[in-house]
Amino acid sequence: MKSKKKIVIPAIILAFFLVAFGSMSWFIGEQVFTSSTQLVTNEETSGVKESFWKTFGIDYDKFKSTYKIEGISVPSSEGDHDIPGDYIYAKGSDTKDRDTMILIHGLGGNRYSNYPVAAYFLEKGYNVITYDQRSSGENKAKYTTFGYLESDDAKDLVYYASNLTQDKAIGLWGTSFGGATAGHAISDKAIAAKVKFAVLDCPVSSMKDMVAAEIDKMDIPLPTEYMTWCGSVVNKFKLGFSYGDADVPSAVADTDVPVLVINSKADQLTPYYMGRDIYEAIDSKDKKILSVKDSDHAQVWLNHRELYRKTMDEFISQY
């Protein structure tokens, strides 16, 4: 009897430990999941401050009077939400049967955040679609996933644009986590067949790294790797994918779409290695990277105006 007791008691202790560990891990994972998938709200990302227009040198009223802007709402094929956006016609144009750019904003932005870049493409004769990513602006989808689920909305916009044109070019431009959205979108072979080129501006490359960076800021006395793992497990259970699945370099490795990566070695939000890793992962010669030394996150457009535009001109003209 004594020997049986010696076996049973450690087993009970082990079972208790496993249950306690599992419960704690799930609780931590829930907290990480919530904080990483609800980073912005529709209320926080509605409209644009006047200071934004001044920073980017855009006269909003003049922009609206110069270009014909048509509100659109595209039903999501992977969710119960609609994708709200603006369809902007090139100056003097009244047809949708022309080369079209789809612009994807970063975290905390909305479709209006892309208007400065839209002006560049509109002047080049492109029509432009700029839209609200999930949980941003008027897009009511609940979760933010650093471009992974958001890419389904981008794909829907590519299909929308392709149905309006007759063999015209469709391009993608995305910044920050919008760059990750574009990267995941072009990993789809059907989408790659419709997209002529993609520009990824200071792109997020790894959901895992972004979540870990947020955890580090919290200064919690638990290993970051453990907390990230907990969040990934809950994310997999609730949304059907782990943080590792949202890796952009792996997604774009086999893409047939020509890709231009733009990034900065001074970027603290999406560090230089993120854009570099995406660029190096692409197994194609149809790629280019522009790296500067001194710009903060997503500021290359402002700080290196001529170089940014010249690089895009040269890259896009090839395709």
Short mmCIF file of all heavy atoms in Angstrom, two decimals, residues 204-241:
data_model
loop_
_atom_site.label_atom_id
_atom_site.label_comp_id
_atom_site.label_asym_id
_atom_site.label_seq_id
_atom_site.Cartn_x
_atom_site.Cartn_y
_atom_site.Cartn_z
N VAL A 204 5.71 45.41 -42.35
CA VAL A 204 5.79 44.43 -41.26
C VAL A 204 6.11 43.08 -41.91
O VAL A 204 5.52 42.71 -42.91
CB VAL A 204 4.45 44.33 -40.51
CG1 VAL A 204 4.45 43.12 -39.57
CG2 VAL A 204 4.18 45.60 -39.72
N SER A 205 7.07 42.36 -41.34
CA SER A 205 7.41 41.05 -41.89
C SER A 205 6.94 39.90 -41.02
O SER A 205 6.75 38.79 -41.51
CB SER A 205 8.93 40.92 -42.08
OG SER A 205 9.59 40.90 -40.82
N SER A 206 6.73 40.15 -39.73
CA SER A 206 6.45 39.06 -38.80
C SER A 206 5.46 39.48 -37.73
O SER A 206 5.74 40.38 -36.93
CB SER A 206 7.76 38.60 -38.14
OG SER A 206 7.52 37.75 -37.05
N MET A 207 4.31 38.81 -37.69
CA MET A 207 3.35 39.07 -36.62
C MET A 207 3.94 38.66 -35.27
O MET A 207 3.75 39.35 -34.26
CB MET A 207 2.05 38.30 -36.88
CG MET A 207 0.96 38.56 -35.86
SD MET A 207 -0.60 37.77 -36.30
CE MET A 207 -1.66 38.33 -34.96
N LYS A 208 4.67 37.57 -35.26
CA LYS A 208 5.30 37.10 -34.02
C LYS A 208 6.22 38.15 -33.44
O LYS A 208 6.18 38.45 -32.24
CB LYS A 208 6.07 35.80 -34.28
CG LYS A 208 6.76 35.25 -33.04
CD LYS A 208 7.52 33.97 -33.36
CE LYS A 208 8.27 33.46 -32.13
NZ LYS A 208 9.05 32.22 -32.44
N ASP A 209 7.06 38.74 -34.29
CA ASP A 209 8.00 39.76 -33.82
C ASP A 209 7.28 41.02 -33.34
O ASP A 209 7.68 41.63 -32.35
CB ASP A 209 8.97 40.15 -34.94
CG ASP A 209 10.03 39.07 -35.18
OD1 ASP A 209 9.96 38.01 -34.52
OD2 ASP A 209 10.90 39.29 -36.03
N MET A 210 6.20 41.39 -34.03
CA MET A 210 5.46 42.58 -33.63
C MET A 210 4.78 42.39 -32.28
O MET A 210 4.77 43.27 -31.42
CB MET A 210 4.44 42.95 -34.70
CG MET A 210 5.04 43.38 -36.03
SD MET A 210 6.14 44.83 -35.93
CE MET A 210 4.96 46.14 -35.60
N VAL A 211 4.20 41.20 -32.08
CA VAL A 211 3.55 40.90 -30.80
C VAL A 211 4.59 40.86 -29.69
O VAL A 211 4.38 41.40 -28.60
CB VAL A 211 2.78 39.56 -30.87
CG1 VAL A 211 2.28 39.15 -29.50
CG2 VAL A 211 1.61 39.68 -31.84
N ALA A 212 5.73 40.22 -29.96
CA ALA A 212 6.79 40.14 -28.96
C ALA A 212 7.29 41.53 -28.58
O ALA A 212 7.58 41.80 -27.40
CB ALA A 212 7.94 39.28 -29.49
N ALA A 213 7.39 42.43 -29.57
CA ALA A 213 7.85 43.79 -29.29
C ALA A 213 6.86 44.52 -28.39
O ALA A 213 7.27 45.28 -27.49
CB ALA A 213 8.02 44.55 -30.60
N GLU A 214 5.57 44.29 -28.61
CA GLU A 214 4.56 44.92 -27.75
C GLU A 214 4.63 44.36 -26.33
O GLU A 214 4.48 45.10 -25.36
CB GLU A 214 3.16 44.68 -28.34
CG GLU A 214 2.87 45.47 -29.60
CD GLU A 214 2.99 46.97 -29.40
OE1 GLU A 214 2.42 47.47 -28.41
OE2 GLU A 214 3.67 47.63 -30.20
N ILE A 215 4.88 43.06 -26.21
CA ILE A 215 5.00 42.45 -24.88
C ILE A 215 6.21 43.02 -24.15
O ILE A 215 6.16 43.29 -22.94
CB ILE A 215 5.11 40.91 -25.01
CG1 ILE A 215 3.78 40.33 -25.50
CG2 ILE A 215 5.51 40.28 -23.68
CD1 ILE A 215 3.84 38.85 -25.84
N ASP A 216 7.31 43.19 -24.85
CA ASP A 216 8.53 43.75 -24.24
C ASP A 216 8.28 45.12 -23.63
O ASP A 216 8.85 45.47 -22.59
CB ASP A 216 9.65 43.85 -25.28
CG ASP A 216 10.30 42.49 -25.56
OD1 ASP A 216 10.17 41.58 -24.72
OD2 ASP A 216 10.94 42.36 -26.62
N LYS A 217 7.43 45.91 -24.27
CA LYS A 217 7.14 47.26 -23.78
C LYS A 217 6.39 47.23 -22.44
O LYS A 217 6.43 48.19 -21.68
CB LYS A 217 6.30 48.03 -24.80
CG LYS A 217 7.02 48.33 -26.10
CD LYS A 217 6.08 49.01 -27.08
CE LYS A 217 6.72 49.23 -28.43
NZ LYS A 217 5.77 49.84 -29.40
N MET A 218 5.71 46.13 -22.17
CA MET A 218 4.87 46.04 -20.96
C MET A 218 5.69 45.74 -19.71
O MET A 218 5.19 45.88 -18.59
CB MET A 218 3.81 44.95 -21.16
CG MET A 218 2.86 45.24 -22.29
SD MET A 218 1.68 43.86 -22.52
CE MET A 218 0.86 44.39 -24.04
N ASP A 219 6.92 45.28 -19.86
CA ASP A 219 7.79 45.00 -18.73
C ASP A 219 7.13 44.05 -17.74
O ASP A 219 7.09 44.29 -16.53
CB ASP A 219 8.19 46.31 -18.03
CG ASP A 219 9.38 46.13 -17.10
OD1 ASP A 219 10.18 45.22 -17.36
OD2 ASP A 219 9.49 46.88 -16.11
N ILE A 220 6.60 42.94 -18.24
CA ILE A 220 5.98 41.92 -17.41
C ILE A 220 7.03 40.89 -17.03
O ILE A 220 7.80 40.43 -17.89
CB ILE A 220 4.82 41.24 -18.17
CG1 ILE A 220 3.74 42.28 -18.50
CG2 ILE A 220 4.21 40.10 -17.36
CD1 ILE A 220 2.65 41.77 -19.41
N PRO A 221 7.09 40.46 -15.76
CA PRO A 221 8.15 39.53 -15.31
C PRO A 221 7.91 38.08 -15.74
O PRO A 221 7.92 37.16 -14.92
CB PRO A 221 8.10 39.69 -13.79
CG PRO A 221 6.68 40.02 -13.49
CD PRO A 221 6.24 40.91 -14.64
N LEU A 222 7.68 37.88 -17.01
CA LEU A 222 7.55 36.54 -17.59
C LEU A 222 8.31 36.54 -18.92
O LEU A 222 8.39 37.57 -19.59
CB LEU A 222 6.08 36.19 -17.84
CG LEU A 222 5.21 35.86 -16.63
CD1 LEU A 222 3.74 35.74 -17.05
CD2 LEU A 222 5.67 34.56 -15.96
N PRO A 223 8.85 35.39 -19.31
CA PRO A 223 9.60 35.36 -20.58
C PRO A 223 8.72 35.76 -21.77
O PRO A 223 7.60 35.28 -21.92
CB PRO A 223 10.03 33.89 -20.69
CG PRO A 223 10.00 33.37 -19.29
CD PRO A 223 8.87 34.10 -18.61
N THR A 224 9.25 36.65 -22.60
CA THR A 224 8.50 37.11 -23.78
C THR A 224 8.15 35.95 -24.70
O THR A 224 7.05 35.88 -25.24
CB THR A 224 9.33 38.15 -24.56
OG1 THR A 224 9.54 39.30 -23.72
CG2 THR A 224 8.62 38.58 -25.83
N GLU A 225 9.09 35.01 -24.89
CA GLU A 225 8.85 33.86 -25.77
C GLU A 225 7.66 33.04 -25.28
O GLU A 225 6.84 32.57 -26.08
CB GLU A 225 10.10 32.98 -25.86
CG GLU A 225 11.17 33.52 -26.79
CD GLU A 225 10.72 33.50 -28.25
OE1 GLU A 225 10.01 32.56 -28.64
OE2 GLU A 225 11.09 34.43 -28.98
N TYR A 226 7.59 32.86 -23.98
CA TYR A 226 6.48 32.08 -23.41
C TYR A 226 5.15 32.80 -23.63
O TYR A 226 4.16 32.18 -24.07
CB TYR A 226 6.72 31.87 -21.91
CG TYR A 226 5.52 31.39 -21.14
CD1 TYR A 226 4.93 30.16 -21.42
CD2 TYR A 226 4.95 32.19 -20.14
CE1 TYR A 226 3.81 29.73 -20.71
CE2 TYR A 226 3.85 31.76 -19.43
CZ TYR A 226 3.27 30.54 -19.72
OH TYR A 226 2.16 30.12 -19.02
N MET A 227 5.10 34.09 -23.37
CA MET A 227 3.87 34.84 -23.55
C MET A 227 3.45 34.89 -25.02
O MET A 227 2.26 34.80 -25.34
CB MET A 227 4.03 36.25 -22.98
CG MET A 227 4.24 36.28 -21.48
SD MET A 227 4.39 37.96 -20.83
CE MET A 227 2.75 38.61 -21.11
N THR A 228 4.44 35.02 -25.89
CA THR A 228 4.14 35.02 -27.33
C THR A 228 3.58 33.68 -27.75
O THR A 228 2.62 33.60 -28.54
CB THR A 228 5.42 35.34 -28.14
OG1 THR A 228 5.97 36.58 -27.69
CG2 THR A 228 5.10 35.44 -29.63
N TRP A 229 4.16 32.61 -27.24
CA TRP A 229 3.66 31.25 -27.53
C TRP A 229 2.22 31.11 -27.06
O TRP A 229 1.37 30.57 -27.78
CB TRP A 229 4.54 30.21 -26.86
CG TRP A 229 4.01 28.81 -26.99
CD1 TRP A 229 4.12 27.98 -28.07
CD2 TRP A 229 3.26 28.09 -26.00
NE1 TRP A 229 3.48 26.79 -27.83
CE2 TRP A 229 2.94 26.83 -26.56
CE3 TRP A 229 2.83 28.38 -24.71
CZ2 TRP A 229 2.22 25.86 -25.86
CZ3 TRP A 229 2.10 27.42 -24.01
CH2 TRP A 229 1.80 26.18 -24.58
N CYS A 230 1.93 31.59 -25.86
CA CYS A 230 0.56 31.52 -25.33
C CYS A 230 -0.41 32.25 -26.26
O CYS A 230 -1.50 31.75 -26.58
CB CYS A 230 0.49 32.13 -23.93
SG CYS A 230 1.37 31.20 -22.65
N GLY A 231 -0.03 33.45 -26.69
CA GLY A 231 -0.88 34.22 -27.58
C GLY A 231 -1.09 33.51 -28.91
O GLY A 231 -2.20 33.51 -29.46
N SER A 232 -0.04 32.87 -29.41
CA SER A 232 -0.14 32.16 -30.69
C SER A 232 -1.10 30.98 -30.59
O SER A 232 -1.86 30.72 -31.53
CB SER A 232 1.25 31.69 -31.13
OG SER A 232 1.20 31.10 -32.41
N VAL A 233 -1.05 30.27 -29.48
CA VAL A 233 -1.95 29.13 -29.28
C VAL A 233 -3.40 29.58 -29.28
O VAL A 233 -4.27 28.99 -29.94
CB VAL A 233 -1.61 28.39 -27.97
CG1 VAL A 233 -2.70 27.38 -27.62
CG2 VAL A 233 -0.26 27.69 -28.08
N VAL A 234 -3.70 30.64 -28.55
CA VAL A 234 -5.07 31.16 -28.49
C VAL A 234 -5.48 31.71 -29.85
O VAL A 234 -6.62 31.52 -30.30
CB VAL A 234 -5.21 32.25 -27.40
CG1 VAL A 234 -6.58 32.90 -27.45
CG2 VAL A 234 -4.96 31.64 -26.02
N ASN A 235 -4.57 32.38 -30.53
CA ASN A 235 -4.85 32.92 -31.87
C ASN A 235 -5.22 31.79 -32.83
O ASN A 235 -6.16 31.90 -33.63
CB ASN A 235 -3.63 33.67 -32.40
CG ASN A 235 -3.96 34.67 -33.48
OD1 ASN A 235 -4.30 35.82 -33.19
ND2 ASN A 235 -3.87 34.26 -34.73
N LYS A 236 -4.48 30.68 -32.74
CA LYS A 236 -4.75 29.52 -33.59
C LYS A 236 -6.13 28.96 -33.29
O LYS A 236 -6.89 28.60 -34.19
CB LYS A 236 -3.69 28.45 -33.34
CG LYS A 236 -3.89 27.16 -34.10
CD LYS A 236 -3.56 27.29 -35.56
CE LYS A 236 -3.58 25.95 -36.26
NZ LYS A 236 -3.28 26.05 -37.71
N PHE A 237 -6.48 28.87 -32.02
CA PHE A 237 -7.77 28.32 -31.61
C PHE A 237 -8.92 29.21 -32.07
O PHE A 237 -9.95 28.72 -32.55
CB PHE A 237 -7.80 28.17 -30.09
CG PHE A 237 -9.08 27.60 -29.57
CD1 PHE A 237 -9.32 26.24 -29.58
CD2 PHE A 237 -10.08 28.44 -29.05
CE1 PHE A 237 -10.52 25.71 -29.10
CE2 PHE A 237 -11.27 27.93 -28.58
CZ PHE A 237 -11.49 26.56 -28.59
N LYS A 238 -8.75 30.53 -31.95
CA LYS A 238 -9.85 31.45 -32.23
C LYS A 238 -9.95 31.89 -33.69
O LYS A 238 -11.05 32.07 -34.22
CB LYS A 238 -9.74 32.69 -31.33
CG LYS A 238 -9.98 32.39 -29.87
CD LYS A 238 -10.18 33.67 -29.07
CE LYS A 238 -10.64 33.35 -27.65
NZ LYS A 238 -10.98 34.57 -26.89
N LEU A 239 -8.80 32.08 -34.33
CA LEU A 239 -8.81 32.61 -35.69
C LEU A 239 -8.30 31.63 -36.74
O LEU A 239 -8.34 31.92 -37.94
CB LEU A 239 -7.99 33.91 -35.76
CG LEU A 239 -8.50 35.07 -34.91
CD1 LEU A 239 -7.63 36.30 -35.12
CD2 LEU A 239 -9.95 35.40 -35.22
N GLY A 240 -7.77 30.49 -36.30
CA GLY A 240 -7.39 29.44 -37.24
C GLY A 240 -5.98 29.53 -37.78
O GLY A 240 -5.61 28.77 -38.67
N PHE A 241 -5.14 30.44 -37.26
CA PHE A 241 -3.76 30.50 -37.70
C PHE A 241 -2.86 30.92 -36.54
O PHE A 241 -3.28 31.61 -35.61
CB PHE A 241 -3.59 31.48 -38.87
CG PHE A 241 -3.72 32.93 -38.50
CD1 PHE A 241 -2.60 33.70 -38.23
CD2 PHE A 241 -4.97 33.53 -38.41
CE1 PHE A 241 -2.72 35.04 -37.89
CE2 PHE A 241 -5.10 34.88 -38.08
CZ PHE A 241 -3.97 35.63 -37.81
#
